[in-house]
Amino acid sequence: MKQLRIRVLAGVFVVAGVLSWAGARLWNSLGTLPGVPVAAPIVLALIAVVLFATALSLRARLKAQRERRPDAKGVDPMMAARAVVFAHASALVAALVSGVYGGTGVLLLELLDIPARRDQAIYAGFSVLAGFAVIAAALLLERVCRLPEDDDTPPTSTEPAA
């Protein structure tokens, strides 16, 4: 699995934000824009906490395993692989969701004179921040689970073979 790139996540965020802003603007002109749920930043923050705790746990276990401590608890390679897949998927979804709430939040900034819309703009802003926390924790987890570079590859030589 390839390592996540910030450019890809930023691209997903920007595209989702622009499309969300345009869709929210159209929806608001045709009727009532649906609200931003209060639970959105809470759920994203919980996912960030789970990812961060997993990263810290795996980092400590891998460090103990590398130092060959007698009480070291090994890390199952499949568990580490699942953690990386979870981090990868969480970061992509968080970039998408943050973009959607960011685009909606930009539209809601125009409607701050309405108290309900002001609250929704705050929820959207916190959702974007929590989404960034998910991305940061996912990147940390992915970095913790990265395998060391292979030293088994034969060196490339420019000398002619004898």
Side-chain angles (χ1 to χ4, degrees):
M1 178 177 267
K2 291 184 180 182
Q3 188 173 1
L4 274 173
R5 299 192 184 250
I6 299 293
R7 283 181 283 163
V8 171
L9 296 173
V12 169
F13 174 79
V14 169
V15 168
V18 169
L19 291 176
S20 173
W21 173 79
R25 192 169 185 83
L26 177 67
W27 197 325
N28 196 39
S29 69
L30 296 176
T32 303
L33 181 68
V36 176
V38 178
I42 297 168
V43 170
L44 287 169
L46 286 175
I47 293 170
V49 167
V50 168
L51 285 167
F52 188 68
T54 303
L56 291 180
S57 171
L58 284 176
R59 185 175 70 175
R61 288 172 65 184
L62 288 170
K63 182 180 177 186
Q65 194 173 1
R66 273 193 308 271
E67 294 174 352
R68 301 196 191 285
R69 293 185 195 157
D71 62 338
K73 215 177 184 187
V75 176
D76 180 31
M78 280 304 290
M79 186 189 72
R82 287 184 191 117
V84 170
V85 169
F86 176 55
H88 200 91
S90 296
L92 288 170
V93 170
L96 179 70
V97 169
S98 294
V100 168
Y101 286 127
T104 304
V106 168
L107 176 74
L108 290 171
L109 288 176
E110 300 170 6
L111 307 170
L112 289 179
D113 54 336
I114 304 169
R117 295 298 184 195
R118 185 179 322 118
D119 291 343
Q120 290 175 1
I122 291 169
Y123 301 150
F126 282 137
S127 296
V128 171
L129 291 176
F132 288 162
V134 169
I135 292 170
L139 291 174
L140 174 67
L141 178 57
E142 192 176 55
R143 185 176 183 93
V144 164
C145 292
R146 188 175 56 199
L147 293 174
E149 295 297 321
D150 290 332
D151 292 331
D152 298 338
T153 58
T156 56
S157 170
T158 56
E159 298 176 19

